[in-house]
Amino acid sequence: MTGLSIESRQPRSSPPARYGPARPPVTPTALRATVGQGAFGHRMAETFNLAAAPTLTTTALKRAQMAATRLTSAVPSAGATSPIPPEKAYLVTLQLRQVAASALWIGGQVVQIGALAEGSISIVHLEDEPVFHFADAFDCLQIYIPAIVFEELAASNGTPAINGLAFQADVVDRVVQQLGAALLPSLAAPGPAGRLFFDHIALAIYTHLAGAYGQLGERAAAPAGGLTPSQERTAKALLTADLTREPSVPEVSVACGLPLGRFVRAFRQATGMPPHRWLRQFRVERAQELLFGSRLSLAQIAYDCGFADQSHFTRVFTTAIGITPGAWRRQRRG
């Protein structure tokens, strides 16, 4: 495979200027410009470095709207996409053509690398900081689903009552492929009739996704099939053994004696979140300890806790705690 190279992070004795997957910095101005808009339309065109992206939004929902955005490029993307501001929403990406080389990062960790078949989809939660790289010409359809619509759709349309959608990196879904293809004429010539048609197609897509990939939520999960106390201790110890390196979740699953998919589900059941999200929370908590109990610089704390750089540390910390690391430190120290 050409045009795509992923390097593993190696341990270092001191923090370099940049480390981890190279990503464009996110400035406060850029974040303010995109917050509240939702991950669709012009915002996703900018994320993928495109001039424009045709978009349809639903009109029938009350609390928030679903959206469909077509992203097309005759040339490979110029490196990894810029970070998408976190929000409580899902992004379903349908490949309308084969992509010879691609990668997907979740929480800074590569979860998919290689070719993507026509008709394959990915499902990511935007709070998990997905980053895409298409090292080939691409044509895809992204369905934006705010989590707040789950309850409304279940109550008003009889769709499955779910609390989330299970993460998917690369799975062929012919139902989504057919429904997505039906939207392409409306995206090419948007108008009132197209928007009304999208209301029906969006409901059909959501109903299928909820039935095929819907989750009952962490608190509603049955206790059977979780981790034993020993497995949970082993998993947490291995995940946090060296925060300056990105742990290998497949290796942790082997140490726990479980297949990868079963381990991820069991870990979520035991802790209330998947491994990468639990580790991100642990890193924030460790950073709080260092902010309060040490005089280390923010850059050093970012490195010691395994964040890509100080900007990434600030973004994740602020999302989790509500204020920047520097402001949090000043508040606690009086």
Side-chain angles (χ1 to χ4, degrees):
M1 180 177 63
T2 61
L4 185 63
S5 175
I6 305 296
E7 297 182 357
S8 301
R9 181 188 301 172
Q10 299 298 323
R12 297 175 172 86
S13 57
S14 60
R18 263 194 89 81
Y19 48 95
R23 305 177 187 174
V26 179
T27 64
T29 300
L31 279 174
R32 284 195 298 269
T34 57
V35 167
Q37 295 179 15
F40 59 89
H42 181 66
R43 179 163 140 187
M44 296 312 295
E46 291 182 338
T47 298
F48 281 83
N49 197 31
L50 301 175
T55 304
L56 291 168
T57 59
T58 57
T59 60
L61 298 174
K62 296 178 180 179
R63 303 185 68 183
Q65 300 300 327
M66 294 174 56
T69 304
R70 187 174 186 179
L71 303 169
T72 306
S73 176
V75 298
S77 59
T81 57
S82 57
I84 305 170
E87 60 174 303
K88 295 184 182 300
Y90 292 84
L91 201 61
V92 180
T93 303
L94 165 67
Q95 300 302 327
L96 299 173
R97 58 169 287 177
Q98 178 177 330
V99 179
S102 69
L104 171 63
W105 288 263
I106 293 293
Q109 181 173 4
V110 176
V111 295
Q112 179 274 327
I113 183 169
L116 294 172
E118 179 181 346
S120 64
I121 68 169
S122 64
I123 303 176
V124 297
H125 197 300
L126 293 178
E127 286 189 331
D128 291 337
E129 299 184 305
V131 173
F132 301 86
H133 182 199
F134 297 142
D136 188 17
F138 59 91
D139 187 5
C140 63
L141 181 68
Q142 291 192 325
I143 308 297
Y144 167 78
I145 309 175
I148 198 172
V149 307
F150 291 172
E151 184 177 350
E152 179 180 346
L153 287 171
S156 61
N157 293 283
T159 59
I162 64 171
N163 287 341
L165 295 171
F167 164 75
Q168 304 293 325
D170 173 21
V171 58
V172 173
D173 191 312
R174 297 305 181 194
V175 175
V176 175
Q177 182 181 18
Q178 292 176 11
L179 293 171
L183 287 176
L184 299 185
S186 295
L187 283 162
R195 289 192 294 271
L196 182 61
F197 179 63
F198 179 52
D199 282 341
H200 296 288
I201 295 297
L203 177 59
I205 291 175
Y206 174 81
T207 301
H208 168 71
L209 293 172
Y213 312 106
Q215 297 177 319
L216 295 178
E218 292 84 3
R219 293 186 181 181
L227 296 175
T228 66
S230 175
Q231 287 173 326
E232 184 174 348
R233 287 194 298 271
T234 297
K236 290 180 176 179
L238 292 174
L239 288 171
T240 60
D242 183 356
L243 291 180
T244 65
R245 300 185 63 176
E246 198 65 37
S248 168
V249 176
E251 291 178 3
V252 176
S253 71
V254 171
C256 291
L258 295 172
L260 178 58
R262 182 179 169 190
F263 167 74
V264 172
R265 291 191 297 271
F267 189 94
R268 175 192 286 271
Q269 187 165 316
T271 65
M273 59 192 76
H276 70 271
R277 198 179 298 176
W278 180 88
L279 180 58
R280 183 174 61 191
Q281 177 177 294
F282 181 91
R283 283 178 164 140
V284 170
E285 292 172 354
R286 176 58 179 157
Q288 288 178 300
E289 294 175 0
L290 294 177
L291 286 167
F292 182 76
S294 77
R295 296 185 178 274
L296 295 175
S297 68
L298 296 183
Q300 182 67 53
I301 292 174
Y303 173 76
D304 289 347
C305 293
F307 294 98
D309 53 26
Q310 186 174 334
S311 175
H312 181 229
F313 169 44
T314 299
R315 186 169 68 253
V316 173
F317 189 96
T318 303
T319 298
I321 306 302
I323 57 175
T324 65
W328 188 90
R329 171 180 261 177
R330 289 191 294 271
Q331 282 187 3
R332 292 305 182 277
R333 291 184 172 180

